[in-house]
Amino acid sequence: MQTEEQELIRRILHGETDLFAQLADRYGRMIFALVVRIVGRREEAEEVTQDVFLKAFRQLGNFAGRSSFQTWLYRIACNTAVSHVRRTQPRSMEIDERRLAVLPDEEADRLEEWTERQERLDALTRAIGRLDPEERVLVTLFYYEERSVAECAAITALSESNVKVRLHRIRKKLYVMVTAQRDET
């Protein structure tokens, strides 16, 4: 498929711009699913998704082929969605970094066991919605989209070790957020 896409991109760059619709059709649902998880609202996600494809069309000449077109497009989608969230939504809940540092890893890992009960799943979903947009990107890519650490790194322009560390810290942060919600109720 990559050579087919490369040929399609070459033709688009040489003036057959109407062919870009094929790329938009091919990746539209995937990009929308990613964006809606980061942005949180379908209506806004539709607009952001349109922005993603507009940016991709305008920047298509900058696509160097060092990664797959899909990875390149995902990077644009993540960056566009994060920028949108930063502009339109209030900051996420701040967590005391010292509390995260002393939280045993086993406790944070137990968070995954909680999804067996709907109320815990709901609490987890609310907590994910309150993460910083960059953190939501990693959660979305790794857990919802089931991307590998290497793919997450390529999409976010982070190192693989940085992705692993951030995912680990996000799990701890989610644990703290969910247990705080549970304790409030």
Side-chain angles (χ1 to χ4, degrees), residues 17-80:
T17 56
D18 57 320
L19 294 177
F20 189 78
Q22 290 181 27
L23 294 174
D25 288 344
R26 184 176 298 165
Y27 294 107
R29 286 179 182 228
M30 287 186 284
I31 295 300
F32 177 76
L34 172 69
V35 169
V36 79
R37 286 195 174 109
I38 297 166
V39 171
R41 295 180 189 93
R42 291 185 68 80
E43 300 78 24
E44 290 181 31
E46 289 171 0
E47 288 181 38
V48 172
T49 300
Q50 288 176 353
D51 289 346
V52 167
F53 282 103
L54 186 59
K55 285 179 182 180
F57 179 75
R58 288 181 180 154
Q59 297 173 14
L60 194 57
N62 296 332
F63 175 64
R66 287 187 297 269
S67 64
S68 70
F69 178 76
Q70 181 180 2
T71 298
W72 181 79
L73 188 58
Y74 263 67
R75 180 176 292 163
I76 292 172
C78 289
N79 291 338
T80 304

Side-chain angles (χ1 to χ4, degrees), residues 40-156:
R41 295 180 189 93
R42 291 185 68 80
E43 300 78 24
E44 290 181 31
E46 289 171 0
E47 288 181 38
V48 172
T49 300
Q50 288 176 353
D51 289 346
V52 167
F53 282 103
L54 186 59
K55 285 179 182 180
F57 179 75
R58 288 181 180 154
Q59 297 173 14
L60 194 57
N62 296 332
F63 175 64
R66 287 187 297 269
S67 64
S68 70
F69 178 76
Q70 181 180 2
T71 298
W72 181 79
L73 188 58
Y74 263 67
R75 180 176 292 163
I76 292 172
C78 289
N79 291 338
T80 304
V82 166
S83 294
H84 175 80
V85 170
R86 282 189 180 147
R87 279 191 323 271
T88 61
Q89 295 178 14
R91 290 277 304 159
S92 66
M93 179 178 152
E94 293 296 321
I95 302 276
D96 182 0
E97 292 294 320
R98 292 171 295 189
R99 185 172 178 193
L100 291 179
V102 298
L103 179 67
D105 294 344
E106 302 79 41
E107 287 293 312
D109 292 339
R110 285 187 47 224
L111 184 62
E112 293 175 358
E113 298 169 15
W114 291 6
T115 59
E116 295 168 8
R117 296 188 56 197
Q118 188 62 43
E119 65 187 47
R120 291 178 179 157
L121 182 58
D122 292 344
L124 180 60
T125 301
R126 285 190 302 277
I128 290 170
R130 293 194 332 251
L131 291 173
D132 289 331
E134 294 87 355
E135 294 169 330
R136 262 187 267 165
V137 165
L138 284 176
V139 167
T140 298
L141 291 173
F142 190 76
Y143 291 105
Y144 291 111
E145 300 269 331
E146 297 180 353
R147 301 284 176 166
S148 68
V149 169
E151 289 174 304
C152 291
I155 291 167
T156 59

Side-chain angles (χ1 to χ4, degrees), residues 149-164:
V149 169
E151 289 174 304
C152 291
I155 291 167
T156 59
L158 298 169
S159 68
E160 288 185 31
S161 60
N162 200 322
V163 168
K164 289 177 186 176

